[in-house]
Amino acid sequence: MMSEGVEIISVDSDFEREKLRYHFGFKGGYLTELWQNIVQIKSKGGFEAIGMATQSVLYGDANVFASTSEAGGNALMYTVTNKALQQIMNRKFDDPIQFLDQIVPELYETAKQITAIEQLNVNFIYNALLSVDNALWLLYAQENGVSTFYEMLPKIYRECLSHKNDKIAVMYQISYDMPLEYIKKAAEDGYFVFKVKTGFPGDDEEMLQKDIERLTEVHRILKDVRTSQTVNGKVYYTMDANGRYPNKALLKRYLDHAKEIGAFPQIVLYEEPFVEENNEDVSDLGILIAADECVHSEGDAYRKISQGYKAFVLKGIAKTLSETLKIAKIAYEHAIPCLCADLTVNPILIDWNKNIAAALPPFPGIGMGLMETNGDMNYVNWDIMKARHPHFGEKWTEVSNGVFELGTRFYECGGGIFSVSEYYKNLFKR
């Protein structure tokens, strides 16, 4: 029996600062910490939900990140979250997707004033809304008496997320400055998909040269590694420039170098190579080009398909589940394969992401779901954060031989997203 609407009667928020082990570089910048943004929302029906987000201002809008201190940027995003909570207070919603569609336009105008950036990237808004969106979905599930991820989805989105993968391949992220011995150790531990961060800081030529040098040293380490997880026994590479390359000509020089050193056949895809203003057709590059940050809406998804993009990167832990479902549906209808990327999120959010990756059709060439997670290599307090997961220690929460092995238990409880973490719940006992 579906609820006739969820009425919000109480909202609250908090955050925790989590330090990173070393400077984490992408988009030409570096992070030293990530704020965990936590909200509590209660409904008139007597239900309450804790929603979480890992804030990444650099991902959301690099201009906001550069406009102030790192902590200042995080404070701006947290302020936007609280403005969203004010917007939804005492309002009623039928489902979170429609609700977000209603509040985003006003919130976007508010956020432009808060950040003093007129051309604010809407990803900044979605990142700020993530904790709110997650809490709304959990309330929606409680009000409608459902306790699995599949059942929680509105019916029009269920077909595109109806698979039940037994395994999810984990993309091991190689950041700009990761020591080479870490890469060797990852291969020894069984990882077989390596995500190389490209788009080094510097001007175009400096960026390209550093990217080429990095690929050369990575391939030197991994070219002879063998794995039982792939058909040809070789490990795979993906690249992610986070929108740093200005044009296709520069990217071709990088790919030409990959061919020269023999790395090209092992490249599964290249994520988000170009600045958002670039509208070049990418169908002639010889590899899958995947769209990520540039896909803010359904219209963006259709536009990227028309430009030859053959894969989508879903970021339900950055752009909200509500927006991600729309993109996943379009991808499914156009036979566009999808994978799930990380935002260096906390262990609980990994399982939000894992629910999506588990339900997607197997990724071509990989034969299973495909997702990235890198929190374990980046957070100082990762083991402490893991212990806060309500299903800490369950098999599906640990990587084994480069994959998450799923089972009936994972699907029965939605990876634990419907369970309450006592640690985070206690933040609101005051």
Side-chain angles (χ1 to χ4, degrees):
M1 185 82 178
M2 297 303 286
S3 167
E4 294 183 356
V6 183
E7 187 172 346
I8 297 166
I9 62 168
S10 174
V11 296
D12 202 353
S13 72
D14 207 339
F15 70 91
E16 294 195 321
R17 300 170 71 168
E18 292 290 351
K19 290 291 182 185
L20 301 179
R21 289 177 180 167
Y22 45 75
H23 290 191
F24 181 63
F26 69 102
K27 269 195 177 183
Y30 288 91
L31 300 174
T32 66
E33 67 176 12
L34 287 165
W35 288 19
Q36 311 304 311
N37 175 324
I38 308 116
V39 304
Q40 181 190 63
I41 303 178
K42 297 180 181 180
S43 72
K44 189 176 182 179
F47 299 104
E48 65 178 68
I50 304 290
M52 302 185 67
T54 295
Q55 294 190 171
S56 184
V57 177
L58 181 55
Y59 168 82
D61 192 313
N63 290 327
V64 176
F65 184 81
S67 71
T68 182
S69 65
E70 185 176 6
N74 274 299
L76 293 174
M77 183 175 282
Y78 182 64
T79 300
V80 174
T81 300
N82 283 279
K83 290 293 184 181
L85 290 174
Q86 292 172 16
Q87 274 186 250
I88 68 173
M89 182 63 181
N90 296 321
R91 291 178 64 175
K92 198 172 184 179
F93 71 95
D94 294 321
D95 75 58
I97 298 174
Q98 294 177 4
F99 203 27
L100 248 67
D101 286 345
Q102 293 170 16
I103 69 173
V104 164
E106 180 183 339
L107 188 64
Y108 183 67
E109 294 304 315
T110 301
K112 287 196 295 185
Q113 295 175 9
I114 290 170
T115 60
I117 292 181
E118 182 63 27
Q119 300 300 320
L120 183 66
N121 192 310
V122 73
N123 283 336
F124 184 90
I125 306 296
Y126 291 140
N127 194 178
L129 274 171
L130 186 75
S131 56
V132 178
D133 187 65
N134 282 355
L136 293 175
W137 277 107
L138 293 176
L139 277 181
Y140 176 78
Q142 291 177 67
E143 293 270 356
N144 291 292
V146 301
S147 57
T148 70
F149 183 75
Y150 181 79
E151 290 176 316
M152 183 176 71
L153 303 178
K155 289 183 179 179
I156 64 169
Y157 298 106
R158 289 182 181 176
E159 186 177 358
C160 67
L161 291 171
S162 59
H163 281 72
K164 287 188 175 180
N165 288 293
D166 294 326
K167 296 189 293 186
I168 300 174
V170 177
M171 302 161 68
Y172 185 91
Q173 185 180 104
I174 301 174
S175 60
Y176 297 152
D177 302 319
M178 175 177 283
L180 297 180
E181 55 265 29
Y182 285 30
I183 304 171
K184 293 178 184 177
K185 178 66 164 55
E188 292 168 0
D189 289 342
Y191 287 94
F192 59 99
V193 184
F194 292 84
K195 178 175 177 174
V196 183
K197 279 292 186 183
T198 55
F200 267 83
D203 62 29
D204 292 349
E205 288 299 323
E206 185 180 4
M207 173 184 71
L208 177 63
Q209 187 57 38
K210 288 181 179 178
D211 284 352
I212 283 174
E213 291 170 0
R214 186 61 159 166
L215 177 60
T216 300
E217 59 187 13
V218 168
H219 185 58
R220 188 179 297 125
I221 292 169
L222 297 176
K223 64 180 180 179
D224 296 322
V225 171
R226 291 294 177 266
T227 175
S228 61
Q229 300 277 23
T230 64
V231 174
N232 62 12
K234 291 187 176 183
V235 300
Y236 292 133
Y237 309 143
T238 73
M239 283 85 190
D240 184 7
N242 290 107
R244 285 273 292 153
Y245 275 62
N247 53 55
K248 194 164 68 171
L250 199 69
L251 180 61
K252 279 184 175 179
R253 290 169 58 189
Y254 178 85
L255 296 177
D256 285 344
H257 175 75
K259 293 173 183 176
E260 289 172 11
I261 64 173
F264 190 80
Q266 289 171 250
I267 300 176
V268 176
L269 62 94
Y270 199 120
E271 284 183 46
E272 198 69 19
F274 303 126
V275 294
E276 286 201 30
E277 298 76 25
N278 183 293
N279 292 310
E280 293 177 278
D281 187 281
V282 299
S283 58
D284 61 347
L285 288 172
I287 58 171
L288 282 181
I289 303 296
D292 179 2
E293 287 100 320
C294 63
V295 179
H296 311 301
S297 65
E298 293 165 288
D300 292 330
Y302 288 121
R303 181 168 53 85
K304 286 300 170 184
I305 291 172
S306 72
Q307 292 170 359
Y309 285 75
K310 300 294 186 183
F312 284 161
V313 180
L314 302 181
K315 267 199 169 91
I317 40 70
K319 298 181 183 178
T320 73
L321 176 61
S322 292
E323 287 301 311
T324 296
L325 291 177
K326 299 176 186 178
I327 308 306
K329 183 174 182 290
I330 293 170
Y332 182 78
E333 292 168 349
H334 290 79
I336 300 290
C338 295
L339 63 148
C340 292
D342 197 5
L343 199 70
T344 315
V345 297
N346 61 59
I348 292 173
L349 287 173
I350 285 175
D351 276 310
W352 279 86
N353 217 19
K354 201 180 297 173
N355 271 290
I356 299 171
L360 288 166
F363 199 84
I366 303 294
M368 60 186 83
L370 180 61
M371 70 176 282
E372 174 196 6
T373 174
N374 58 64
D376 57 330
M377 66 180 72
N378 285 303
Y379 284 107
V380 171
N381 295 320
W382 183 249
D383 289 340
I384 295 172
M385 296 167 72
K386 278 176 63 178
R388 297 168 184 165
H389 193 300
H391 289 261
F392 172 61
E394 293 269 12
K395 182 179 180 181
W396 77 75
T397 65
E398 302 290 345
V399 179
S400 176
N401 199 29
V403 301
F404 285 117
E405 294 184 6
L406 310 178
T408 303
R409 175 73 176 138
F410 170 83
Y411 288 101
E412 286 177 346
C413 68
I417 66 171
F418 301 101
S419 303
V420 179
S421 167
E422 289 300 317
Y423 175 84
Y424 293 110
K425 184 176 181 179
N426 287 336
L427 293 179
F428 299 99
K429 288 185 176 179
R430 46 179 177 253

